[in-house]
Amino acid sequence: MARVFFMLDEIQKAGSDFDSALASANEVKALADLRVRYFGRKGGLIPALFGQLKDVPKEQKKEVGDALNKLRDRIESALKEKSDRATADESARKTSRDTIDVTLPARMPHLGNLHPITLVRQEMEKIFREMGYSVDPGPEIETDWYNFESLNFTPDHPARDTQDTFFVDVPGMLLRTHTSNVQIRSMEQTKPPLKVISCGRVYRRDEITMRRSPMFHQAEAILVDKGIHIGHMRATLEYFVRKIFGGDPKFRLRPSFFPFTEPSAELDMSCLFCNGNGCGTCSQTGWMEILGCGMVHPQVLRNVAIDPEEWSGFAFGMGIDRVAMLTYDIPNIRTLFENDLRVLQQF
Ligand code: PHE
């Protein structure tokens, strides 16, 4: 009899222990542990209690057995209910973490951007294309003939000096010192009338400074037709420079010298920064040197079998790096060639 009461006590205690354990088990994992504690094959409390049933006197077996069955069913359904809820909660939390909010604006892939030199070059080419010029970058490795000789540089001209020119291992070959090589190549390729713009890299043996670099960029244009005079050149250049820089600057042509043009000139523009009043950028002169130009020399035309009595033309060459520096307010030319992403991403 004592044994029976003892068992019933134990069953009751197991029930109330379970209630408080269940109250503090909220996670799926804690509930699974609780199930093992009560139903585990080895050492589970419920199987252990059922094991003790065989020692209960026969006449009490039913009462104790009923109590035990009731406890088992109650624990089982309470555990099931709470774990189902916890599982559902957890998966709902996980889904809301993983779900894609289709209303969010898309994160665009970073496509990179164009280098300031490329932007200026494209703009220059566009302006000339609109005026009917064709685009030809020409070769960077060039012969002495195209870079110098055909352009009227005498054999002892200082520009040929090793101080200025990079020669390559092949005799007679060099890195072009200007884009004027394209003048000759275009006139050889196309019979006049012709209009060509050429933008590309050029090389000179210079120290690297704020404004100079041994590799830089030039834009070159040449036009050959009948009856072309310096007025056509001036009108074309002023139109072009206004388009590139904007605003309404004043211009002047200053006599200069290039072996391949006659007459030769440099085009100055009133300073963009002080409107011609004088400032640091224009060294207080009020003017900025923009480009070199001139009428194609009759001997240059003869060198490519064009009759200077019948045809005439103009050409000009301009630094692209300088334009990029003025346009984007970059004081040091090195900035253009260091490929620092913090700089390049701004364009
Ligand atoms: N090639 C010259 C330079 O590099 C510029 C130029 C081009 C001048 C065409 C006249 C005509 O300075």
Side-chain angles (χ1 to χ4, degrees):
M1 203 57 183
R3 174 83 201 168
V4 174
F5 287 132
F6 179 66
M7 272 290 282
L8 286 174
D9 272 356
E10 235 178 302
I11 289 167
Q12 201 188 6
K13 183 166 182 307
S16 56
D17 282 355
F18 171 78
D19 289 337
S20 58
L22 184 71
S24 58
N26 295 308
E27 307 291 308
V28 174
K29 166 93 176 58
L31 289 160
D33 290 348
L34 201 56
R35 172 174 295 278
V36 172
R37 200 156 102 212
Y38 282 85
F39 292 106
R41 284 195 192 292
K42 280 184 206 143
L45 198 65
I46 302 288
L49 288 173
F50 272 103
Q52 286 173 28
L53 206 56
K54 65 178 187 313
D55 301 330
V56 174
K58 212 174 171 188
E59 58 281 11
Q60 306 298 334
K61 259 198 175 105
K62 187 173 160 24
E63 192 187 351
V64 177
D66 280 352
L68 205 46
N69 279 335
K70 240 193 236 146
L71 177 70
R72 182 198 58 205
D73 293 348
R74 187 168 76 78
I75 293 181
E76 196 148 64
S77 68
L79 266 178
K80 182 173 178 339
E81 196 198 304
K82 197 160 178 183
S83 350
D84 283 355
R85 224 183 317 126
T87 308
D89 283 357
E90 257 172 50
S91 83
R93 270 203 301 279
K94 188 164 168 342
T95 320
S96 81
R97 230 182 9 247
D98 294 350
T99 301
I100 296 164
D101 180 352
V102 292
T103 65
L104 279 177
R107 236 179 265 146
M108 300 309 274
H110 186 67
L111 293 177
N113 34 8
L114 295 175
H115 193 279
I117 299 245
T118 308
L119 293 171
V120 172
R121 175 175 62 72
Q122 288 183 344
E123 181 62 20
M124 289 178 166
E125 288 175 354
K126 179 168 166 268
I127 295 169
F128 276 94
R129 269 212 185 90
E130 283 166 2
M131 293 194 280
Y133 285 65
S134 56
V135 177
D136 179 2
E140 286 174 35
I141 301 176
E142 194 46 290
T143 62
D144 184 272
W145 167 259
Y146 285 105
N147 194 80
F148 291 130
E149 182 123 21
S150 61
L151 290 165
N152 247 356
F153 283 83
T154 51
D156 56 353
H157 194 282
R160 291 171 176 244
D161 207 304
T162 48
Q163 298 282 314
D164 293 44
T165 308
F166 287 109
F167 294 92
V168 298
D169 282 347
V170 185
M173 301 289 282
L174 43 84
L175 300 183
R176 66 176 173 191
T177 59
H178 53 183
T179 39
S180 299
N181 64 329
V182 182
Q183 290 187 26
I184 301 295
R185 289 186 172 276
S186 318
M187 289 190 289
E188 275 181 354
Q189 258 160 40
T190 318
K191 289 211 173 316
L194 62 91
K195 301 195 249 187
V196 178
I197 165 109
S198 168
C199 295
R201 294 191 181 93
V202 301
Y203 303 83
R204 285 182 203 174
R205 285 193 50 166
D206 262 326
E207 297 292 325
I208 301 177
T209 65
M210 292 273 281
R211 301 180 133 232
R212 283 173 184 275
S213 150
M215 186 279 288
F216 57 104
H217 300 77
Q218 281 190 337
E220 181 108 6
I222 180 165
L223 178 148
V224 180
D225 206 334
K226 287 187 172 154
I228 297 300
H229 55 73
I230 209 160
H232 296 114
M233 179 179 86
R234 183 167 181 145
T236 306
L237 294 182
E238 290 188 7
Y239 173 80
F240 165 62
V241 174
R242 272 209 182 92
K243 277 246 167 183
I244 278 285
F245 289 110
D248 191 21
K250 287 197 280 295
F251 293 96
R252 70 178 184 193
L253 280 174
R254 200 160 28 79
S256 183
F257 174 78
F258 301 102
F260 43 93
T261 46
E262 183 55 38
S264 301
E266 271 169 65
L267 183 76
D268 293 349
M269 167 177 92
S270 55
C271 178
L272 286 172
F273 298 93
C274 61
N275 281 319
N277 296 320
C279 68
T281 310
C282 61
S283 311
Q284 309 304 330
T285 63
W287 293 98
M288 291 163 69
E289 292 174 19
I290 293 298
L291 52 84
C293 56
M295 303 305 291
V296 182
H297 197 293
Q299 184 55 43
V300 172
L301 293 174
R302 268 183 233 115
N303 287 345
V304 287
I306 293 176
D307 180 3
E309 298 301 323
E310 195 182 347
W311 303 96
S312 56
F314 64 80
F316 79 88
M318 179 178 194
I320 299 181
D321 316 77
R322 181 96 196 291
V323 176
M325 289 163 75
L326 289 170
T327 309
Y328 299 116
D329 200 11
I330 300 169
N332 190 340
I333 194 169
R334 282 173 273 219
T335 309
L336 293 172
F337 304 128
E338 281 167 351
N339 290 332
D340 186 333
L341 284 180
R342 291 168 303 179
V343 174
L344 297 183
Q345 276 165 354
Q346 296 177 37
F347 295 95

